[in-house]
């Protein structure tokens, strides 16, 4: 209990800072955006803000509170968290609207490339006695015609039974509950892990304070994160949820889609579920 509490207290500052550092390493600048497009996008964003100011008669006190809050989001390193919760879902929808294969959803701020490479019958790195219900997650990667994609890469990462991600909360081994699983020649994989817990946005950072001030809840339903890829196919970034799990109908990040909800079945020693991925050809 004490350990749980101290992990929780440490998490907002440390997860925010780590998410900002990780993002800076991977970010591609949008340098190919033309001046016309920048002008159009920024003008429309500002016009929307001006409209809200007029419609709601924003006061100077509220304007100053907004400035303070924006400054604090940066100070807490929470821009990746805030944007991935409140904006990424629409970017993902637009980016993938023409996909024929499996549904994707947001990546979120906690992906780290380079997780240990594991065979097709894999157990994710975990601590001795890792808390949580064991989960066997198995399936096949195929193309649109149903042909298996041998050797596909299934990168998987998820929170632990306390809702914490390795590398973004203190005292969790580096690659805990993260792995790069290589499917067999038939595109099949079997991954042993534990079922993650729901994830709560850190309550002590700027994002959590905004959520509390608005009277919203700060939860995402329990989820597995995945990136599935193979030579000659479009990479898919997705998440899978668990039917009946708390918050699956009220995700603060608006990232749940009906196709992404699993129905695990109780089996000897844990839960089991299968899910197949269909990849689109590279465009
Ligand atoms: C956030 C956290 C997640 O685990 C996720 O999947 C998406 C967003 C966040 O805190 O921003
Ligand atoms: Fe997540």
């Amino acid at each position: 209990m004490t350990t749980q509490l101290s992990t929780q207290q440490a998490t907002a500052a440390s997860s925010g800072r780590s998410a900002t550092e990780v993002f800076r390493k991977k970010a591609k600048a949008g340098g190919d955006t033309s001046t016309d497009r920048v002008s159009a996008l920024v003008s429309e964003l500002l016009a929307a803000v001006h409209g809200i100011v007029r419609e709601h008669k924003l006061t100077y006190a509220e304007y100053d509170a907004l400035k303070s809050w924006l400054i604090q989001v940066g100070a807490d390193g929470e821009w990746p968290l805030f944007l991935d919760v409140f904006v990424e879902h629409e970017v993902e929808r637009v980016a993938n609207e023409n996909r024929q294969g499996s549904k994707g959803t947001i990546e979120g701020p906690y992906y780290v490339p380079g997780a240990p490479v594991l065979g097709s019958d894999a157990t994710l790195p975990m601590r001795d006695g890792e808390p949580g219900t064991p989960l066997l997650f198995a399936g096949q990667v195929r193309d649109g015609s149903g042909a298996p994609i041998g050797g596909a890469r299934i990168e998987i990462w998820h929170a632990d039974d306390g809702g914490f991600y390795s590398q973004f909360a203190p005292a969790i081994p580096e690659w805990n509950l993260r792995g790069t699983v290589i499917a067999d020649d038939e595109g099949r994989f079997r991954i042993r892990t534990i079922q993650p817990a729901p994830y709560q946005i850190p309550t002590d950072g700027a994002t959590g304070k905004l959520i509390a001030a608005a009277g919203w809840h700060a939860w995402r339903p329990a989820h597995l994160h995945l990136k599935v890829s193979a030579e000659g196919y479009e990479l898919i970034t997705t998440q899978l949820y668990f039917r009946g799990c708390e918050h699956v109908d009220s995700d603060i990040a608006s990232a749940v889609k009906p196709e992404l909800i699993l129905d695990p079945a109780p089996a000897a020693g844990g839960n089991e579920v299968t899910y197949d991925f269909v990849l689109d050809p590279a465009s």
Side-chain angles (χ1 to χ4, degrees):
M1 189 66 217
T2 320
T3 326
Q4 180 76 7
L5 208 64
S6 60
T7 315
Q8 190 108 26
Q9 282 164 346
T11 198
S14 66
S15 63
R17 222 171 293 124
S18 311
T20 297
E21 280 163 22
V22 165
F23 176 75
R24 281 198 170 130
K25 273 192 209 134
K26 76 171 182 197
K28 292 189 209 86
D32 54 353
T33 306
S34 69
T35 51
D36 282 355
R37 188 164 161 86
V38 171
S39 176
L41 293 173
V42 177
S43 300
E44 282 192 42
L45 176 66
L46 292 175
V49 172
H50 303 155
I52 293 165
V53 170
R54 283 193 299 275
E55 187 179 334
H56 295 276
K57 300 195 187 304
L58 197 85
T59 66
Y60 258 101
E62 289 165 339
Y63 175 61
D64 286 347
L66 171 66
K67 274 199 213 172
S68 298
W69 179 79
L70 288 167
I71 291 165
Q72 198 56 42
V73 177
D76 291 345
E78 284 199 343
W79 279 115
L81 278 71
F82 176 80
L83 290 167
D84 292 351
V85 164
F86 292 112
V87 181
E88 189 187 353
H89 58 91
E90 285 308 316
V91 179
E92 189 279 330
R93 256 176 255 273
V94 169
N96 294 327
E97 63 192 352
N98 295 324
R99 286 227 175 175
Q100 304 294 309
S102 300
K103 286 278 176 210
T105 190
I106 67 172
E107 175 174 316
Y110 298 145
Y111 168 66
V112 185
V117 175
L118 308 167
S120 65
D121 198 341
T123 299
L124 293 191
M126 62 179 87
R127 296 162 282 194
D128 284 344
E130 183 74 40
T133 307
L135 176 70
L136 173 61
F137 172 67
Q140 189 185 30
V141 185
R142 296 189 297 261
D143 69 13
S145 75
I149 304 177
R153 280 161 63 94
I154 300 114
E155 292 180 88
I156 177 167
W157 71 102
H158 65 82
D160 66 12
D161 188 54
F164 298 108
Y165 286 84
S166 57
Q167 303 191 35
F168 298 89
I172 304 177
E174 189 177 22
W175 296 107
N176 210 58
L177 305 177
R178 296 175 181 271
T180 303
V181 176
I182 309 298
D184 69 13
D185 293 346
E186 292 273 275
R188 292 188 196 280
F189 59 87
R190 286 165 68 80
I191 302 170
R192 266 164 287 271
T193 183
I194 56 100
Q195 230 166 287
Y199 164 86
Q200 185 181 30
I201 291 172
T203 48
D204 55 334
T207 308
K209 287 187 179 141
L210 170 73
I211 290 169
W216 303 335
H217 78 66
W219 290 92
R220 299 213 59 225
H223 54 278
L224 304 173
H225 287 271
L226 298 128
K227 280 183 186 282
V228 183
S229 59
E231 185 86 28
Y233 295 90
E234 288 288 329
L235 178 150
I236 177 166
T237 300
T238 193
Q239 299 184 21
L240 296 170
Y241 305 90
F242 302 93
R243 190 171 317 280
C245 178
E246 242 185 321
H247 315 298
V248 81
D249 298 321
S250 62
D251 177 13
I252 184 72
S254 311
V256 178
K257 300 178 186 182
E259 300 87 344
L260 302 178
I261 301 177
L262 301 172
D263 280 301
N271 288 337
E272 289 184 8
V273 70
T274 60
Y275 187 88
D276 296 340
F277 296 95
V278 177
L279 300 188
D280 282 17
S283 50

